[in-house]
Amino acid sequence: EPEVTQTPSHQVTQMGQEVILRCVPISNHLYFYWYRQILGQKVEFLVSFYNNEISEKSEIFDDQFSVERPDGSNFTLKIRSTKLEDSAMYFCASNGRVTGELFFGEGSRLTVL
Amino acid sequence: AQSVAQPEDQVNVAEGNPLTVKCTYSVSGNPYLFWYVQYPNRGLQFLLKYITGDNLVKGSYGFEAEFNKSQTSFHLKKPSALVSDSALYFCAVSPSGGYALNFGKGTSLLVTP
């Protein structure tokens, strides 16, 4: 069964450092997303990406965040200068059509010290 | 703003008994409602969605949900619970009809043998 894969599974970084989280969506999917879940809180939408551009983003997704699809397979989330409050589980998701179900990866846990 | 509420942090049910996980919504216009499940150390998995049509929606693993417009509810149900159903369940709403989902805080379901 096709799946969304995310790396790294866990990353520890110092405050102020740049972090890149990587995702490989399902190969024939066209829509890509990042969500995050702070420990003990609900899952929050960050950004959606289609046709090589951001289609929608939340208030959380400020100038410190960026997304990129550098090649035909990877989808990355970059945090330029991490803050303590960026500590969370980050989930990548994809789907093949706008009404299709979302497929989520297993998440990348980011710990900012 | 469109949102969902899950009033129960935890639901306990004995194996073989029916289960209900509650969700109420607050939307303007027609809601797009979803249920996802999260097993330990895994990403979210799609269970079912309501966009339009029949109020009773059937989904994966024997789950179903009933859309009730008068009560603004979208409760998740299963006639006979299994121990393997124990997981974290999230209700979600789409404000835009796309996949910038607003999730509820989640309900932990524990099914005991």
Side-chain angles (χ1 to χ4, degrees):
Chain A
E1 183 177 329
E3 59 181 17
V4 176
T5 57
Q6 291 186 240
T7 55
S9 57
H10 188 193
Q11 182 160 353
V12 181
T13 190
Q14 295 292 321
M15 189 170 56
Q17 295 296 304
E18 176 182 284
V19 161
I20 297 176
L21 305 179
R22 291 181 169 80
C23 169
V24 179
I26 294 173
S27 62
N28 61 348
H29 282 183
L30 302 174
Y31 302 84
F32 313 113
Y33 310 81
W34 283 101
Y35 284 79
R36 79 173 185 189
Q37 184 179 29
I38 295 172
L39 187 64
Q41 299 185 25
K42 63 181 182 179
V43 177
E44 301 171 294
F45 168 76
L46 293 179
V47 65
S48 60
F49 190 87
Y50 170 71
N51 200 26
N52 285 321
E53 60 182 24
I54 291 173
S55 47
E56 195 167 358
K57 62 181 181 179
S58 71
E59 292 178 353
I60 303 169
F61 195 87
D62 60 22
D63 292 343
Q64 291 297 313
F65 291 89
S66 63
V67 289
E68 193 177 34
R69 188 156 162 82
D71 52 43
S73 59
N74 290 285
F75 179 52
T76 62
L77 175 69
K78 181 191 291 186
I79 309 175
R80 290 191 181 83
S81 178
T82 50
K83 303 187 282 282
L84 295 177
E85 53 266 36
D86 294 328
S87 295
M89 180 74 88
Y90 288 81
F91 292 104
C92 175
S94 69
N95 63 349
R97 51 190 172 89
V98 72
T99 57
E101 67 177 86
L102 274 185
F103 289 81
F104 282 84
E106 295 190 355
S108 293
R109 180 170 297 283
L110 175 65
T111 301
V112 182
L113 303 176
Chain B
Q2 308 213 12
S3 63
V4 293
Q6 295 180 244
E8 304 154 317
D9 290 333
Q10 182 158 326
V11 170
N12 297 319
V13 65
E15 187 174 32
N17 283 357
L19 70 87
T20 299
V21 182
K22 295 179 180 177
C23 173
T24 58
Y25 64 88
S26 173
V27 303
S28 54
N30 296 321
Y32 293 72
L33 296 162
F34 304 80
W35 276 102
Y36 282 82
V37 60
Q38 186 180 30
Y39 298 100
N41 301 314
R42 301 297 301 275
L44 286 80
Q45 294 180 33
F46 172 82
L47 283 178
L48 50 80
K49 67 181 177 185
Y50 172 85
I51 295 178
T52 187
D54 290 340
N55 290 341
L56 184 64
V57 180
K58 293 188 182 297
S60 306
Y61 313 120
F63 284 93
E64 58 188 30
E66 185 170 10
F67 172 69
N68 188 317
K69 189 171 184 178
S70 63
Q71 298 185 5
T72 63
S73 66
F74 189 58
H75 301 331
L76 182 71
K77 300 182 179 184
K78 187 173 183 181
S80 178
L82 300 172
V83 172
S84 57
D85 292 330
S86 298
L88 194 55
Y89 290 80
F90 292 94
C91 183
V93 65
S94 168
S96 58
Y99 280 85
L101 301 178
N102 286 342
F103 283 87
K105 64 180 175 62
T107 298
S108 178
L109 173 67
L110 179 63
V111 181
T112 52

